[in-house]
Amino acid sequence: MYLKQTLLIGASALLAACAQTPAKDAAEEAVSTPANDIEQVADVVVEPVSVQQYPASLFHETTSYGLGSNNGYVFSHNNDAILVSTDETGIFNAVAMDKTGAITPLTSSDDNAVYAQSFFPDDDRVLITSDSGGNEIYHVYVREIDGTLTDLTPGEEVRASFVGWRDDGEVFYIQTNERDPQTNDLYAYSTADYSREMIFENDGKDIADISPDGRWLALSKDRTNADSNIYLVDFLADDTEPQLITEHEGDISYGVYDFTADSETLIYATNEHGEFNQAWTYNLASGEKHPLIEADWDVSFVFDSPTGRYLVSAINADAMTDLTIMDNETGEAVELKGIPDGELGQIRFDRDEETIAFGVNTDTSPFNLYVAGLSDGEATRLTNALPEAIDEDDLVTAEVVRYESFDGLEIPSIFYMPKQASADDPVPALVWVHGGPGGQSTRGYSATIQHLVNHGYAVLAANNRGSSGYGKTFFHMDDKNHGEKDLQDIVYGRKYLEGVEGIDPEKIGVLGGSYGGFMVAAALAFEPEVFDVGVNIFGVTNWVRTLESIPPWWGSFRDALYDEMGDPATDIERLRRISPLFHADQITKPMLVIQGANDPRVLQVESDELVEAARANGATVEYVLFPDEGHGFQKRENRIKASEAYVDFLNTYLKGEAPDEDPAPSGNAAE
């Protein structure tokens, strides 16, 4: 099992990585029980419930856990431990966790986040990745048995990632952009001494997967944001040039899920046959193609277990993902016992394929790790991610709702209503805008959202047109129309909230990160009377500059991103028209801006200039700059400061409460 590219949303997801609701690994992270029936919250009678309010520091004492890469060995060579990334110390580090949940630290970074990738096949060495201050220039390291780190991909501007192992364990694969900053070449590394050989020199395609036997390499290439292809390289053939296997006409997206364990079949995604991504198989010897999984929603991911006995797949069913582990020997699905109803993800098999490690989260409980035997499905919980001081009954379970936009289009959304709300004591509300373009707000635990809701703010996480998960027609409705029709979907989110019992129709703001941050700034600039306040979290404000300053490692996505957003060389007039920076003289409502100084996607200057321009217009603007973060928050202390800043700002400018004498967003605050 190696690198999986499953969501056919191409370049449009590039800005979304740190702005989902909650953030999830698109390839394999979050899966769940089937979606609940849709309810229109406006028809529900709201009964207030008394709840205890908790500080941001307590919500963000939630411990995050993530299992090592699905491309590697997550169970140790003797099956005694699993490889985990956790921020238990306040920043992510790699640890080994035994089957009782006891932790042995493997790294001890206190500044840069470290992410666990894979154990070695036959000893306790570990592959990890880390960047510098959130700059996304990741290196791959070996954590040696004695605890020292060996950088396998040195170079100040070298960006690298772990791809997987050959099935004999003698070789592992890493892709790096050291030869050409705009593309990744593939290297085979010796397990014994780390000597390496370039096995594929890339010409701008994306390395998607390599077969377990090392013979076949799958590549993908976006032609536009609606059209992509798959190529195969046969390293045993006389001609090792990539061969196109998805010849087609018209706009069809193809992506790679996995090679099967026997290295005989490629499992791939395509929306050729309808609105949604289906899983198909391609026989590597004959070229024959056959359907594997068809559904009324996108197939999120599919992968084989190491021996091929089990097939793991998931469907993105209305922002809830329905996962199946199929036993190919019995033809029956594995039933896991002793786990809560919620999102199940990160399935990892042990060396004997008798046990799996995985995680479960719900709207009110963070991602916790479990192990279970495949023979009986009995699960054992290993972690307690939610702080004991938080009563889970005080937290809110989300509902899936839909509302009509200006043109009658239904906008699917995730809705959180504070328990203390009532018709007699209505609460303020926020329209939450996800990242992207092309992201999706989904069910699942979010410390940030639960903190807001716990402090009396209803949250409507709107999946505006252009969001993934609702079919290709819906997904492409915002192409070269960003900040226009999709912005109206957000405006109509306010109109929807105004009719919900228990919400104060006079106190509704907008909040979002990354592309969602752009939408916040756009709402305040282009619809200045609609929202009462806005919270812009590292949002794009000048599309001309952002598209001109695309990081070099996005080279393979550039054409598709330009196809969706516009080419700054030819579409500069439209890009300036939709860029809030050039219309900041219309911003009048209070705005909070959050920015990371090391952000390679949305440069700090984007926020600096917007803040300056809006203040020059007389608008009230608070600005919090994190000097040690990039596009998102890797450090717990910064997540706490950001959440405190949101609530303090909203309490002052949306609720109208007097600010604290010593406001929370200090220290890293710019002015």
Side-chain angles (χ1 to χ4, degrees), residues 84-392:
V84 176
S85 303
T86 177
D87 65 351
E88 186 177 41
T89 63
I91 192 168
F92 277 97
N93 274 283
V95 303
M97 182 180 293
D98 70 18
K99 294 181 182 179
T100 71
I103 282 176
T104 301
L106 299 176
T107 63
S108 56
S109 175
D110 59 7
D111 52 1
N112 296 317
V114 175
Y115 299 102
Q117 299 297 322
S118 177
F119 278 116
F120 272 60
D122 300 313
D123 58 54
D124 290 330
R125 288 176 291 171
V126 174
L127 289 169
I128 62 172
T129 57
S130 183
D131 70 349
S132 178
N135 66 1
E136 301 186 17
I137 301 178
Y138 290 94
H139 285 204
V140 181
Y141 301 83
V142 176
R143 193 267 188 188
E144 306 286 358
I145 294 174
D146 64 4
T148 59
L149 298 181
T150 301
D151 189 349
L152 300 178
T153 55
E156 185 174 341
E157 298 299 324
V158 173
R159 190 172 191 264
S161 61
F162 168 67
V163 176
W165 293 88
R166 200 169 68 194
D167 57 10
D168 61 10
E170 295 181 0
V171 166
F172 60 94
Y173 304 99
I174 291 175
Q175 57 179 335
T176 88
N177 68 344
E178 62 194 81
R179 180 188 61 83
D180 180 351
Q182 298 191 66
T183 193
N184 286 314
D185 300 322
L186 185 64
Y187 291 83
Y189 282 71
S190 166
T191 301
D193 61 9
Y194 314 144
S195 58
R196 67 174 191 166
E197 174 189 3
M198 183 195 291
I199 61 172
F200 179 70
E201 183 175 313
N202 204 350
D203 63 355
K205 300 178 179 64
D206 295 304
I207 294 172
D209 202 356
I210 189 164
S211 62
D213 63 2
R215 175 177 175 176
W216 299 92
L217 175 66
L219 306 162
S220 61
K221 177 64 177 177
D222 292 334
R223 296 199 298 189
T224 70
N225 77 321
D227 191 10
S228 55
N229 274 313
I230 299 173
Y231 298 79
L232 282 176
V233 175
D234 181 356
F235 288 123
L236 297 185
D238 293 334
D239 181 5
T240 57
E241 288 297 309
Q243 302 298 310
L244 176 66
I245 66 167
T246 52
E247 187 73 45
H248 66 277
E249 296 181 359
D251 287 339
I252 301 173
S253 290
Y254 297 91
V256 174
Y257 288 133
D258 192 23
F259 284 100
T260 55
D262 59 12
S263 297
E264 294 181 357
T265 303
L266 176 72
I267 306 173
Y268 69 96
T270 180
N271 61 8
E272 179 179 1
H273 308 284
E275 280 292 314
F276 297 98
N277 298 334
Q278 299 177 358
W280 282 60
T281 60
Y282 177 89
N283 185 283
L284 297 170
S286 68
E288 293 182 353
K289 300 176 182 178
H290 297 284
L292 178 65
I293 301 174
E294 301 169 278
D296 292 331
W297 298 96
D298 283 330
V299 178
S300 299
F301 59 84
V302 185
F303 64 89
D304 246 357
S305 66
T307 69
R309 174 171 175 175
Y310 299 95
L311 185 71
V312 182
S313 62
I315 308 297
N316 178 3
D318 206 12
M320 297 275 290
T321 310
D322 184 10
L323 177 123
T324 302
I325 305 173
M326 181 61 65
D327 185 337
N328 292 325
E329 285 190 5
T330 66
E332 297 180 353
V334 174
E335 180 183 353
L336 297 176
K337 305 167 187 174
I339 61 174
D341 290 336
E343 299 204 330
L344 177 88
Q346 296 189 11
I347 307 298
R348 308 289 190 262
F349 292 85
D350 75 353
R351 302 299 181 96
D352 301 321
E353 211 159 284
E354 295 177 351
T355 301
I356 56 171
F358 59 95
V360 181
N361 83 86
T362 70
D363 292 341
T364 58
S365 177
F367 193 74
N368 277 299
L369 299 182
Y370 291 75
V371 291
L374 287 166
S375 60
D376 59 12
E378 293 291 344
T380 300
R381 181 170 164 173
L382 302 180
T383 62
N384 291 289
L386 189 70
E388 291 183 2
I390 293 180
D391 183 346
E392 193 173 336

Side-chain angles (χ1 to χ4, degrees), residues 524-525 580-581 583-591 593 607-622:
L524 297 182
L581 177 63
H583 309 273
D585 60 344
Q586 300 180 76
I587 296 176
T588 59
K589 297 298 177 66
M591 176 173 61
V593 177
S607 293
D608 291 346
E609 292 183 350
L610 181 70
V611 169
E612 181 181 3
R615 284 175 174 169
N617 189 49
T620 297
V621 183
E622 293 188 5

